[in-house]
């Protein structure tokens, strides 16, 4: 499995999508799922935005659980609203 992880992380890095601080993602879903990958910064940011928009969770709680500040959350949301998924 380590080989697959290394390959995926190399690809994520090539595309600028590697989370340099995956240990900051303390959300339970990312800790207990093979699908959710804390090393994939696009997935982390999208799921963070979804939690607030769809599930109605608080910005403060979600930002903290996903390794971001509240200010960063709003910056990420603005980038997504302007440029969609590629902006993440």
């Amino acid at each position: 499995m380590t080989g697959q992880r290394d390959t995926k992380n190399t690809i994520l890095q090539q595309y600028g999508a590697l989370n340099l601080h995956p240990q900051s993602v303390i959300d339970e879903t990312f800790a207990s799922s093979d699908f959710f990958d804390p090393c994939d910064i696009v997935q982390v940011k999208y799921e963070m935005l979804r939690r607030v928009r769809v599930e109605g969770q608080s910005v403060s709680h979600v930002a903290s659980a996903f390794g971001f500040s509240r200010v960063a959350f709003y910056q990420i949301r603005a980038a997504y609203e302007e440029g969609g998924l590629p902006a993440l």
Side-chain angles (χ1 to χ4, degrees), residues 1-82:
M1 185 73 165
T2 302
Q4 288 178 330
R5 164 63 48 209
D6 291 342
T7 300
K8 181 178 181 183
N9 285 352
T10 298
I11 293 168
L12 289 171
Q13 187 171 23
Q14 288 173 348
Y15 286 96
L18 181 65
N19 185 359
L20 300 178
H21 305 286
Q23 71 282 358
S24 297
V25 181
I26 59 170
D27 179 73
E28 179 65 30
T29 302
F30 279 80
S32 64
S33 171
D34 290 335
F35 177 78
F36 289 99
D37 183 359
C39 292
D40 185 339
I41 196 66
V42 176
Q43 187 180 49
V44 170
K45 289 177 178 180
Y46 183 82
E47 182 61 15
M48 178 179 68
L49 295 174
R50 191 193 72 74
R51 294 282 180 87
V52 171
R53 183 173 182 190
V54 175
E55 296 183 14
Q57 294 184 18
S58 77
V59 170
S60 295
H61 170 75
V62 170
S64 176
F66 284 81
F68 293 98
S69 67
R70 288 180 70 244
V71 171
F73 171 88
Y74 290 113
Q75 292 169 338
I76 292 164
R77 185 173 72 179
Y80 178 75
E81 288 173 352
E82 185 173 316

